[in-house]
């Protein structure tokens, strides 16, 4: 292949570095006028080895996601290295020419994702993404990062894989499955970004948290009969103590408002129902039945109805009375000794969204009793 360039004017080339010309045969300079060389020094030596002007291209298989969480594409070629189940981040894709001069699609600045030094599979990645996404309330990147890092921390502590942990009752998400790569809504993309954040080794903003709770913790405390006919939130029965630095508590409280409602399962004995919560009922019509169990018919021969009230919602004031008890704020931070014989207590490390995140601790970590 030859290249012939002919111009009627001048050709000026400027470069900020070194300009090199390689040729397998000779290099000729011809001029009808003169040839000028301007340089402080001239050197002569052996011909240098050709250096490709094309960037190095890695031919690998895998699923490729933009750093913003967008799915860019999948590669699965026999001649490529790696598995199509590998997952990479990239900064987009572009077209360029390879060393043969062929135009190809490339993924830019790729980074292989690993979980504890092992390539994470695309199947596991999508499963983790689905659960983390469903655990978060809003399109809140901070909350998604906290949920991702907290569950990842827990998986390490219990010596499990991330996906396996999330498949257990550790996560209350129902009907768990893999999140589709094609989803490009904001929450899906932010969820993937949160997982990139964790697997990329970014700073753990949860400070080692392994557990978290939502609005129910503030609504039930250890004094309200919850919808499952049990007094209090389960953390008060499982850990030696509960502590929350005041700034984290204030942020958590502000995020959850003044009240919340849960579905009423109709299992409360309202004559002996601890707490100040309110049972909200709704009126419905039902068919009146006789002693024989058959509908009572009206003059028109049609079934008759009556209006009754049935359980609908349980409304809880936020916060529960425990959090307003000054005895638990003597140090300036919330501290509740549960009396439970357990090895660890839990300490709030951060609020994100409507959730608070917990670190397992054996001693108080707040400023009045530093670690």
């Amino acid at each position: 292949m030859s290249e012939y360039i002919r111009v009627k004017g001048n050709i000026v080339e400027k470069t900020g570095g070194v300009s090199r010309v390689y040729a397998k045969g000779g290099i000729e300079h011809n001029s009808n006028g003169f040839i000028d060389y301007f340089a402080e020094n001239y050197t002569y030596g052996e011909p240098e080895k050709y250096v490709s002007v094309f960037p190095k291209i890695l031919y690998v298989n895998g699923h490729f996601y933009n750093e913003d969480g967008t799915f860019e594409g999948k590669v699965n070629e026999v001649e490529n290295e790696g598995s199509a189940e590998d997952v990479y981040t990239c900064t987009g894709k572009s077209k360029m020419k390879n060393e043969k001069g062929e135009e190809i699609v490339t993924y830019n600045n790729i980074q292989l994702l690993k979980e504890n030094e092992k390539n994470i599979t695309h199947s596991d990645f999508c499963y983790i993404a689905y659960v983390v996404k469903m655990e978060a309330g809003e399109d809140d990147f901070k909350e998604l990062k906290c949920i991702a890092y907290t569950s990842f921390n827990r998986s390490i502590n219990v010596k499990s894989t991330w996906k396996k942990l999330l498949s257990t009752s550790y996560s209350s998400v129902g009907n768990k499955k893999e999140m589709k790569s094609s989803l490009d809504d904001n929450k899906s993309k932010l969820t993937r970004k949160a997982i990139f954040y964790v697997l990329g080794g970014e700073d753990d903003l949860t400070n080692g948290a392994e557990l978290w709770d939502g609005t129910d913790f503030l609504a039930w405390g250890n004094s309200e009969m919850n919808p499952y006919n049990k007094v209090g939130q389960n953390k008060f029965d499982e850990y030696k103590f509960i502590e929350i630095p005041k700034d984290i508590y204030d942020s958590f409280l502000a995020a959850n408002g003044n009240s919340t409602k849960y579905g009423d399962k109709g299992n409360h004995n309202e004559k002996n129902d601890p707490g100040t919560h309110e049972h909200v009922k709704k009126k419905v019509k039902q068919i009146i039945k006789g002693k024989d169990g058959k509908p009572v018919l009206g003059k028109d021969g049609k079934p008759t109805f009556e209006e009754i009230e049935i359980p609908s919602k349980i409304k809880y004031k936020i916060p529960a009375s425990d959090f307003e008890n000054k005895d638990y704020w003597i140090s300036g931070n919330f501290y509740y000794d549960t009396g439970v014989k357990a090895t660890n207590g839990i300490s709030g490390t951060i609020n994100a969204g409507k959730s608070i995140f917990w670190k397992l601790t054996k001693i108080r970590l707040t400023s009045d009793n530093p670690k």
Side-chain angles (χ1 to χ4, degrees):
M1 183 176 69
S2 300
E3 182 178 27
Y4 178 73
I5 301 174
R6 182 175 182 176
V7 299
K8 292 183 178 181
N10 300 323
I11 296 177
V12 179
E13 294 183 10
K14 291 184 178 181
T15 179
V18 177
S19 177
R20 289 189 172 94
V21 179
Y22 297 89
K24 289 185 177 180
I27 296 176
E28 296 181 0
H29 294 278
N30 297 293
S31 172
N32 289 330
F34 54 88
I35 298 175
D36 287 338
Y37 292 94
F38 301 93
E40 293 182 1
N41 296 296
Y42 288 90
T43 58
Y44 302 90
E46 295 297 321
E48 294 183 5
K49 184 178 180 181
Y50 168 70
V51 178
S52 174
V53 297
F54 296 100
K56 184 178 181 181
I57 299 174
L58 298 177
Y59 295 92
V60 295
N61 292 317
H63 288 74
F64 297 83
Y65 289 87
N66 193 293
E67 289 179 339
D68 70 1
T70 305
F71 180 60
E72 294 284 8
K74 174 186 175 182
V75 177
N76 188 20
E77 301 291 344
V78 175
E79 64 272 18
N80 289 2
E81 295 181 4
S83 166
E85 273 291 287
D86 290 340
V87 185
Y88 290 86
T89 60
C90 65
T91 56
K93 57 185 177 182
S94 58
K95 291 182 179 180
M96 63 171 58
K97 290 185 177 180
N98 61 17
E99 295 184 353
K100 296 180 181 179
E102 301 167 333
E103 188 173 73
I104 60 173
V105 174
T106 62
Y107 298 95
N108 308 323
N109 303 310
I110 63 173
Q111 297 290 331
L112 178 64
L113 293 183
K114 293 188 175 187
E115 178 185 351
N116 301 322
E117 303 304 319
K118 183 179 179 181
N119 295 6
I120 191 169
T121 67
H122 188 248
S123 176
D124 284 6
F125 172 80
C126 292
Y127 187 96
I128 293 166
Y130 180 84
V131 178
V132 171
K133 176 183 176 181
M134 300 306 293
E135 284 284 3
E138 306 291 340
D139 297 12
D140 187 323
F141 189 41
K142 180 182 177 183
E143 183 180 19
L144 286 163
K145 285 192 293 183
C146 285
I147 291 172
Y149 235 125
T150 297
S151 55
F152 178 72
N153 290 339
R154 184 65 174 176
S155 71
I156 293 175
N157 190 31
V158 299
K159 296 179 174 57
S160 172
T161 64
W162 198 355
K163 185 250 177 114
K164 185 176 180 180
L165 172 74
L166 291 178
S167 69
T168 69
S169 59
Y170 175 82
S171 166
S172 60
V173 172
N175 300 319
K176 298 171 186 175
K177 57 186 178 182
E178 295 178 15
M179 189 169 81
K180 294 181 180 179
S181 299
S182 58
L183 291 178
D184 63 353
D185 60 284
N186 191 48
K187 190 174 182 181
S188 295
K189 291 191 289 187
L190 289 177
T191 300
R192 297 185 189 111
K193 278 185 67 175
I195 298 172
F196 301 158
Y197 181 90
V198 174
L199 296 179
E202 299 292 339
D203 290 341
D204 178 5
L205 70 170
T206 73
N207 191 29
E210 294 183 40
L211 307 164
W212 74 89
D213 281 301
T215 307
D216 61 320
F217 182 83
L218 283 173
W220 306 339
N222 200 30
S223 55
E224 294 287 334
M225 183 71 81
N226 69 36
Y228 306 98
N229 210 32
K230 174 184 171 299
V231 177
Q233 209 267 359
N234 64 299
K235 292 293 189 298
F236 289 87
D237 298 325
E238 296 172 351
Y239 295 97
K240 186 176 181 180
F241 61 82
I242 297 171
E243 70 169 334
I244 311 174
K246 189 176 186 306
D247 60 336
I248 295 175
Y249 173 82
D250 289 344
S251 177
F252 183 36
L253 181 63
N256 281 282
N258 299 317
S259 66
T260 188
K261 293 179 181 178
Y262 295 91
D264 191 340
K265 303 179 184 299
N267 54 15
H268 283 200
N269 180 353
E270 295 185 35
K271 294 180 180 180
N272 181 22
D273 196 8
T276 60
H277 55 275
E278 174 188 353
H279 288 267
V280 181
K281 302 182 185 297
K282 65 178 180 181
K283 293 181 179 181
V284 297
K285 289 183 178 181
Q286 71 172 12
I287 296 175
I288 299 174
K289 294 183 179 180
K291 293 181 179 179
D292 59 0
K294 296 180 178 180
V296 175
L297 304 179
K299 292 181 179 180
D300 58 1
K302 296 180 179 180
T304 57
F305 292 84
E306 63 179 346
E307 194 174 70
I308 62 169
E309 289 187 333
I310 62 171
S312 175
K313 300 284 186 180
I314 305 177
K315 183 178 181 180
Y316 293 90
K317 181 179 75 72
I318 293 176
S321 61
D322 307 279
F323 301 105
E324 295 181 324
N325 188 331
K326 294 181 180 179
D327 291 342
Y328 303 132
W329 291 93
I330 294 174
S331 68
N333 300 304
F334 180 79
Y335 183 83
Y336 191 111
D337 189 332
T338 64
V340 174
K341 293 182 179 180
T343 302
N344 294 307
I346 53 174
S347 301
T349 63
I350 192 172
N351 157 244
K354 292 186 176 182
S355 301
I356 187 169
F357 296 82
W358 307 107
K359 183 175 185 176
L360 298 178
T361 54
K362 290 183 170 58
I363 60 172
R364 298 175 68 174
L365 296 182
T366 47
S367 58
D368 54 297
N369 185 10
K371 185 177 177 181

